[in-house]
Amino acid sequence: MNLLPDVWRQDFWLPPGVTWKDMEQLSSSDRPQPLDLLISLPLALAFIALRYLFERFCAPPMGRCLGVRNRIQVTAAPSPKLESYYTQRSRRPSQSEVISLMSQCGKTQRQIEMWFRLRRNQDRPCRTKKFGEAAWRFFFYISAFMAGLTCLIDRPWFWDLRECWRQYPIQPMERAHYWYYMLELGFYGSLLLRISVDIKRKDFKEQVVHHLATIFLLSFSYCANYVRIGTLVVLLHDSSDILLESAKMFNYGTGWRKTCDALFIVFAAIFLVTRLVIFPSKIIHTTLVLSMEVFEPFFGYYFFNVLLMVLQALHVFWAGLILRMIYKFLKGKLEKDERSDEESELEEEGDDKEGEENMDQDDFCWERSKDSLNSKLSMLTNSCVLNNLTNHRASVADRMRKAQ
């Protein structure tokens, strides 16, 4: 019954020996208060509305400048039974399921496989939608990074991490850092609200975990006045995300291969350095070790570090994907100088691309066989016409002889 008061027990949020009364030494505008987090909800909705306007009016002209064009898609022939199976059961039927569908629909195995491939291609997001999403994230990340760097670069804890814990938790919070926190929280809230309609990538589950962990991390660190170290965590993450989204934007365009390759290489280098070197050796080290120079462990200490560990586990996962993409990139350069859409998204898209190539080959083979069939039919038609003309002439000649 008294669960809510228990949540705000001071031993959950504050180090041993510090009480909520001690926090009242700070003025109400200088100390974080849990109710402040409510502003992130209207901010999330505002970001969704702003994104809609951006993708509708700003992203299309940007895409045209970069030569973003949608691929021409061949639609699957209407088939109620196959459509029902596709939407309700599986987008990729097994061999036994294909055989069962053959008897139900009266189609060959090849026709059913082709239908499902075309149907999957219809559901794939178009390039303009991908470009709009990448452009929106790029716009936010570069704006947030520049704003965050401006309000942090002259602060002592930006250069000396021990300053993050000096006089903790009785540290005044600046309004710039308050808005930096709320805007980041609102942005990740908008991503979580739109995740069901955004493009689903290969790391969809990891993205959900990442957004939830980030929201919990920002919310808890704000309430526990971990604002100084929290701002550094956010700034570090935004630095590499800028390059990722810009590389995607150029990848969707036409004629920007070298620019995309260069941005991808720089992104990979910065991601691996910031997420696998700086984040664990500086950020996690200061929260785990340096903070113990000021206070003893408490619930908030463990909870905050667990969330940082979750982020680090995701960093390792994404680093594996990036290294695999680098391997494919180098392999493509050595073999054909070609590479597929280098996002974290997609083995499924890779499968669909292979399907498209096979489909193109099948279409080409069909066109050749159709041309061959047409030529044979033409020859047969011509032969029939010639035979008819010969027979007609012979009959006319016979009538003329009889008349004589």
Side-chain angles (χ1 to χ4, degrees), residues 264-265 323-339 342:
F264 175 72
I265 291 171
L323 291 173
R324 188 171 64 179
M325 285 192 286
I326 292 173
Y327 171 75
K328 289 182 179 179
F329 169 70
L330 296 175
K331 186 178 179 182
K333 279 286 184 183
L334 292 173
E335 290 180 358
K336 296 182 179 178
D337 196 25
E338 294 178 357
R339 67 187 176 100
E342 287 295 353

Side-chain angles (χ1 to χ4, degrees), residues 349-365:
E349 183 165 322
D351 294 340
D352 287 343
K353 287 186 177 179
E354 291 175 5
E356 282 184 352
E357 292 173 0
N358 293 335
M359 184 177 64
D360 292 340
Q361 292 174 1
D362 294 335
D363 290 342
F364 177 66
C365 293

Side-chain angles (χ1 to χ4, degrees), residues 169-389:
I170 308 173
Q171 299 171 333
M173 177 186 64
E174 300 180 26
R175 297 309 292 173
H177 300 154
Y178 163 79
W179 282 111
Y180 186 43
Y181 245 73
M182 293 302 110
L183 289 172
E184 288 280 351
L185 191 57
F187 176 73
Y188 281 102
S190 71
L191 292 183
L192 194 62
L193 290 174
R194 277 187 56 95
I195 201 164
S196 61
V197 295
D198 279 345
I199 298 170
K200 286 184 172 59
R201 309 185 187 277
K202 181 184 176 183
D203 59 346
F204 174 77
K205 294 179 181 179
E206 289 77 12
Q207 284 285 358
V208 174
V209 173
H210 173 267
H211 296 340
L212 289 173
T214 302
I215 290 171
F216 276 116
L217 184 68
L218 289 171
S219 301
F220 177 80
S221 62
Y222 181 81
C223 293
N225 205 13
Y226 278 123
V227 173
R228 292 186 178 182
I229 193 65
T231 53
L232 297 181
V233 171
V234 172
L235 187 70
L236 188 70
H237 282 72
D238 288 345
S239 62
S240 59
D241 290 336
I242 297 170
L243 292 164
L244 172 62
E245 302 304 332
S246 61
K248 289 181 182 180
M249 290 168 61
F250 283 102
N251 188 35
Y252 300 137
T254 304
W256 299 95
R257 176 59 58 84
K258 291 184 179 179
T259 304
C260 175
D261 291 346
L263 286 171
F264 175 72
I265 291 171
V266 176
F267 156 72
I270 291 179
F271 182 94
L272 295 174
V273 170
T274 56
R275 307 292 181 93
L276 298 187
V277 179
I278 296 177
F279 187 78
S281 66
K282 298 295 184 181
I283 301 297
I284 294 182
H285 177 262
T286 191
T287 58
L288 277 175
V289 179
L290 296 185
S291 62
M292 293 295 93
E293 297 176 0
V294 178
F295 56 81
E296 297 178 3
F298 63 106
F299 174 82
Y301 165 85
Y302 295 113
F303 186 69
F304 186 71
N305 281 287
V306 165
L307 293 175
L308 292 179
M309 294 296 182
V310 171
L311 288 182
Q312 185 57 31
L314 293 171
H315 296 165
V316 173
F317 170 79
W318 283 318
L321 291 179
I322 290 170
L323 291 173
R324 188 171 64 179
M325 285 192 286
I326 292 173
Y327 171 75
K328 289 182 179 179
F329 169 70
L330 296 175
K331 186 178 179 182
K333 279 286 184 183
L334 292 173
E335 290 180 358
K336 296 182 179 178
D337 196 25
E338 294 178 357
R339 67 187 176 100
S340 60
D341 204 45
E342 287 295 353
E343 296 182 63
S344 57
E345 77 188 288
L346 281 139
E347 248 164 27
E348 178 180 339
E349 183 165 322
D351 294 340
D352 287 343
K353 287 186 177 179
E354 291 175 5
E356 282 184 352
E357 292 173 0
N358 293 335
M359 184 177 64
D360 292 340
Q361 292 174 1
D362 294 335
D363 290 342
F364 177 66
C365 293
W366 163 246
E367 290 294 334
R368 287 196 307 176
S369 62
K370 185 172 69 174
D371 291 342
S372 175
L373 181 60
N374 286 338
S375 63
K376 290 179 180 179
L377 287 172
S378 178
M379 290 173 61
L380 182 60
T381 303
N382 292 335
S383 176
C384 291
V385 171
L386 289 173
N387 289 336
N388 288 336
L389 286 173

Side-chain angles (χ1 to χ4, degrees), residues 54-265:
F54 180 89
E55 292 183 351
R56 185 176 178 84
F57 298 106
C58 299
M62 293 170 60
R64 287 192 292 270
C65 291
L66 295 181
V68 178
R69 292 192 295 268
N70 291 327
R71 293 173 180 157
I72 299 175
Q73 290 186 343
V74 181
T75 58
S79 177
K81 290 183 179 179
L82 293 179
E83 183 66 28
S84 175
Y85 188 93
Y86 179 88
T87 55
Q88 298 178 13
R89 296 190 60 181
S90 174
R91 299 171 73 245
R92 295 177 179 273
S94 63
Q95 190 70 23
S96 59
E97 291 169 335
V98 169
I99 294 172
S100 175
L101 290 170
M102 288 169 57
S103 60
Q104 295 177 31
C105 303
K107 296 180 181 290
T108 65
Q109 178 179 343
R110 184 59 184 159
Q111 287 174 330
I112 290 176
E113 290 174 348
M114 179 67 71
W115 189 94
F116 276 94
R117 184 176 295 126
L118 291 173
R119 188 64 182 82
R120 286 194 300 270
N121 287 338
Q122 285 179 227
D123 285 349
R124 282 178 55 195
C126 60
R127 285 198 170 196
T128 52
K129 182 178 180 181
K130 291 180 179 180
F131 178 84
E133 181 178 308
W136 164 249
R137 296 192 185 203
F138 170 79
F139 173 77
F140 174 81
Y141 287 136
I142 194 169
S143 301
F145 179 77
M146 296 304 296
L149 189 63
T150 300
C151 68
L152 288 173
I153 195 168
D154 59 346
R155 299 302 184 269
W157 65 86
F158 184 82
W159 305 102
D160 183 6
L161 293 178
R162 280 186 167 84
E163 291 293 327
C164 291
W165 311 110
R166 188 179 298 277
Q167 297 181 342
Y168 176 83
I170 308 173
Q171 299 171 333
M173 177 186 64
E174 300 180 26
R175 297 309 292 173
H177 300 154
Y178 163 79
W179 282 111
Y180 186 43
Y181 245 73
M182 293 302 110
L183 289 172
E184 288 280 351
L185 191 57
F187 176 73
Y188 281 102
S190 71
L191 292 183
L192 194 62
L193 290 174
R194 277 187 56 95
I195 201 164
S196 61
V197 295
D198 279 345
I199 298 170
K200 286 184 172 59
R201 309 185 187 277
K202 181 184 176 183
D203 59 346
F204 174 77
K205 294 179 181 179
E206 289 77 12
Q207 284 285 358
V208 174
V209 173
H210 173 267
H211 296 340
L212 289 173
T214 302
I215 290 171
F216 276 116
L217 184 68
L218 289 171
S219 301
F220 177 80
S221 62
Y222 181 81
C223 293
N225 205 13
Y226 278 123
V227 173
R228 292 186 178 182
I229 193 65
T231 53
L232 297 181
V233 171
V234 172
L235 187 70
L236 188 70
H237 282 72
D238 288 345
S239 62
S240 59
D241 290 336
I242 297 170
L243 292 164
L244 172 62
E245 302 304 332
S246 61
K248 289 181 182 180
M249 290 168 61
F250 283 102
N251 188 35
Y252 300 137
T254 304
W256 299 95
R257 176 59 58 84
K258 291 184 179 179
T259 304
C260 175
D261 291 346
L263 286 171
F264 175 72
I265 291 171

